[in-house]
Amino acid sequence: MMKAAFPATPLTKTLVTLLGAGSLMAASLAQAVTIDLSYNGAPDEEKNAVHLFASNLKRLVEEKTGGDLKLTLYPNSMLGEEVQRMEQVMAAPGLNIASFAGISPLFPEIYASSIPFLFRDFDHARRFFDEGEYWKAAQQEFQDRTGTRLLAVVEEGGFLAFTNSKRPIKTPDDFKGLRFRAMDKSQVALYEAFGASGTPIPWTEVYMALRTNVADGQMNPPMYIILGSLHEVQKYLTLANIQYSDQFLVANDQLLESLTDEQRQALEQATQEANQLNRASIEAKVEERIQFLADQGMEVYRPSGAELAQFQDKAKPSYISWLREQNIEQKWIDLALDDAGKH
């Protein structure tokens, strides 16, 4: 026997309407994807260019997808230091902005993009990564090794400058006997080429290391000197512009494959736009930041062309020899040098 249908009372009509609305809401929620984005440095857009990039990326992604993709930001190395964050993004869906210290254990060939004095200026460095064969090959090799993708080169503050608490550095000879904080072993090699010593220290520990004289100096763009309040424990600033300061947006492969074509395109477009905003902001504020450091009492020195040539003569060949000692194939060095020469 068939069961009698419920009469279509006002109450049942209301229940049907509510159930229908609930189903639509559930379907909408099912489509929304939340992605974690981890990185180092404080959540301050004025002082931390990596946070500026992350904030713009979050806004643009959410705008372009109508909220179907959402980014949750984890600044200040909240999810761990460099190696831990890379392990996380390799193991599970997510995004991470990694420095050389995060990339190099997996892909030491990244150091070829940091040969001293490889780039003349901002435009030169940007063309290298936007158009060069080295970077295309690096992206493919990194994906093959790690199952993650290098989505973008994130400009993090301009070109690197030296600071120290002991004396002005005008030529490589002025480095002799000083102890420097290094971001990674490539910087250790660089300091040793100048006659100084270097020891890797995580960014979160740099201020205290300088304050307690564990290290006499360090190397960072002006933005990071301000971000870390390093001007409080460093007296001398040398604008040698020795290397381009960048980090790398890394995406878990499974995450990208799980997105719809529209969501993936929105993420890629948002990445490009956030990068352009970063580039414009950083270049516009370089001199302003240098002046701020001078106003805070740092002695700022701009080496002459002849003095910069002394730095280059010692740094470039020594660094390339170090690359070879790391068993980095010559083809990566050649690709980087060729691309820099073309642009």
Side-chain angles (χ1 to χ4, degrees):
M1 178 184 290
M2 293 182 63
K3 294 181 180 179
F6 287 108
T9 63
L11 176 59
T12 58
K13 289 180 178 178
T14 301
L15 286 170
V16 169
T17 301
L18 288 172
L19 287 169
S23 297
L24 288 172
M25 185 178 295
S28 175
L29 288 172
Q31 291 174 356
V33 177
T34 299
I35 302 170
D36 292 346
L37 172 57
S38 59
Y39 51 98
N40 61 23
D44 185 324
E45 293 185 9
E46 284 297 313
K47 293 182 179 178
N48 184 4
V50 175
H51 180 69
L52 175 64
F53 172 83
S55 300
N56 281 326
L57 182 62
K58 172 181 170 66
R59 174 180 57 81
L60 289 164
V61 164
E62 294 176 1
E63 284 176 2
K64 290 177 182 296
T65 63
D68 282 349
L69 285 186
K70 294 182 180 294
L71 265 58
T72 302
L73 305 185
Y74 291 93
N76 266 337
S77 301
M78 289 170 64
L79 301 185
E81 297 292 353
E82 292 284 353
V83 172
Q84 291 173 294
R85 300 203 315 269
M86 278 303 306
E87 289 172 347
Q88 290 162 10
V89 81
M90 288 169 64
L95 298 170
N96 176 44
I97 302 174
S99 75
F100 280 79
I103 300 294
S104 60
L106 304 162
F107 183 65
E109 293 84 353
I110 194 67
Y111 287 131
S113 71
S114 197
I115 293 170
F117 300 102
L118 191 63
F119 309 121
R120 293 184 301 274
D121 51 31
F122 282 106
D123 287 342
H124 190 196
R126 292 163 184 169
R127 288 195 299 274
F128 177 91
F129 288 108
D130 291 347
E131 303 169 17
E133 295 305 313
Y134 164 85
W135 186 241
K136 291 174 187 173
Q139 287 175 301
Q140 185 61 58
E141 183 67 20
F142 190 78
Q143 183 179 357
D144 292 343
R145 290 187 197 178
T146 68
T148 63
R149 300 188 205 179
L150 293 166
L151 286 189
V153 177
V154 180
E155 205 165 274
E156 64 162 349
F159 283 81
L160 300 183
F162 298 117
T163 71
N164 84 100
S165 59
K166 300 299 184 185
R167 55 178 176 263
I169 292 178
K170 299 182 179 181
T171 70
D173 288 343
D174 296 322
F175 272 94
K176 289 178 180 175
L178 297 180
R179 300 184 307 273
F180 274 77
R181 174 264 176 172
M183 178 178 67
D184 52 46
K185 59 185 182 180
S186 77
Q187 288 190 350
V188 173
L190 191 63
Y191 294 130
E192 289 176 349
F194 295 145
S197 61
T199 183
I201 298 172
W203 169 250
T204 49
E205 299 173 20
V206 172
Y207 181 91
M208 190 55 65
L210 296 171
R211 183 177 178 182
T212 57
N213 297 315
V214 170
D216 301 313
Q218 60 86 53
M219 180 168 64
N220 259 305
M223 186 210 73
Y224 262 64
I225 297 167
I226 297 169
L227 173 66
S229 300
L230 304 186
H231 52 277
E232 297 176 359
V233 290
Q234 298 279 271
K235 175 67 174 174
Y236 304 101
L237 171 65
T238 302
L239 301 173
N241 292 350
I242 192 164
Q243 289 168 315
Y244 176 68
S245 178
D246 54 352
Q247 295 195 33
F248 308 92
L249 177 64
V250 183
N252 176 277
D253 227 358
Q254 291 179 326
L255 165 68
L256 296 178
E257 290 171 359
S258 72
L259 302 178
T260 66
D261 289 344
E262 292 78 11
Q263 290 171 335
R264 190 162 51 252
Q265 288 169 9
L267 175 59
E268 290 170 354
Q269 290 171 2
T271 297
Q272 292 177 2
E273 291 177 25
N275 222 2
Q276 293 304 320
L277 290 170
N278 243 50
R279 290 175 172 184
S281 173
I282 288 164
E283 190 167 3
K285 292 182 179 179
V286 168
E287 290 302 323
E288 174 187 322
R289 286 172 172 145
I290 292 169
Q291 186 59 52
F292 173 85
L293 293 171
D295 292 343
Q296 297 303 305
M298 292 196 81
E299 290 187 19
V300 179
Y301 186 73
R302 297 177 187 266
S304 67
E307 288 166 340
L308 285 174
Q310 290 182 51
F311 283 111
Q312 183 170 354
D313 289 345
K314 280 188 176 290
K316 200 166 186 177
S318 175
Y319 190 93
I320 290 173
S321 294
W322 176 83
L323 291 176
R324 294 180 181 130
E325 290 169 8
Q326 309 310 302
N327 296 318
I328 292 172
E329 289 184 64
Q330 185 65 36
K331 70 174 185 179
W332 293 101
I333 300 170
D334 291 342
L335 273 174
L337 293 172
D338 288 349
D339 282 348
K342 289 174 187 173
H343 299 289

